[in-house]
Amino acid sequence: LQTMATMKPISQSEHLTGQEFWSKNKALKRPISPHLTIYKFQLTSMLSITHRGTGLAQSAMLTGAGLGALMLPGNFPMLLSDIASMHFGGAIIFATKFVLAWPVMFHLWNGFRHLAWDMGHGFKIPELYKTGWFVVGLSVVTALGLAAM
């Protein structure tokens, strides 16, 4: 009874060079794995990618705000006055506020989901999908609420 896989070393003569490896795979018509043409996107993977992306977006927004505060002339009330004098429509202002608020809200609520996982809760597939869709909906609703302020 063997409980572990065994690996045997291969000799130098059996080892394929990089060019031989790619030629063999091309001849066998193998896609580069994981290939997007055969990959089925799932909610769980999309939420994981989105969580990372929203974390990067928050970092970029904070860096931009900090650099803007250091580099731009004047102060924050002057900047708000300049923006108000441009007479953007309410829809553009609302949409901009939503675009700024949604990554923060998604990352916040999905972070709570990760904390629940850290405590060992919510690992069954139905629970993953239920909490995933709940986080998406809650992040949109709370971002809309913040944008409406």
Side-chain angles (χ1 to χ4, degrees):
L1 178 69
Q2 186 175 3
T3 58
M4 295 179 59
T6 57
M7 294 178 60
K8 66 175 187 127
I10 61 173
S11 68
Q12 187 64 31
S13 62
E14 294 175 308
H15 189 268
L16 295 176
T17 66
Q19 184 61 36
E20 290 170 334
F21 174 81
W22 293 113
S23 297
K24 176 183 174 186
N25 285 328
K26 190 173 184 178
L28 293 171
K29 295 182 171 48
R30 291 180 177 161
I32 299 172
S33 180
H35 200 271
L36 294 178
T37 60
I38 62 171
Y39 185 75
K40 181 182 176 207
F41 289 99
Q42 300 170 355
L43 178 68
T44 51
S45 60
M46 295 286 73
L47 292 180
S48 177
I49 293 166
T50 304
H51 188 76
R52 294 162 198 239
T54 55
L56 289 171
Q58 288 181 81
S59 178
M61 288 188 292
L62 186 59
T63 302
L67 289 174
L70 290 172
M71 307 292 252
L72 293 174
N75 55 24
F76 190 67
M78 286 177 55
L79 179 64
L80 287 180
S81 175
D82 290 345
I83 292 172
S85 69
M86 293 179 195
H87 301 291
F88 290 121
I92 291 175
I93 292 172
F94 180 83
T96 302
K97 287 164 59 175
F98 178 81
V99 165
L100 293 172
W102 185 79
V104 176
M105 291 296 96
F106 179 83
H107 201 80
L108 172 75
W109 300 126
N110 204 46
F112 283 121
R113 187 171 172 238
H114 278 263
L115 287 174
W117 292 345
D118 290 343
M119 292 185 281
H121 302 291
F123 284 113
K124 294 186 175 117
I125 295 296
E127 292 172 345
L128 287 171
Y129 276 83
K130 194 184 308 177
T131 59
W133 283 117
F134 181 75
V135 163
V136 169
L138 186 60
S139 66
V140 168
V141 168
T142 54
L144 287 170
L146 287 173
M149 296 175 93

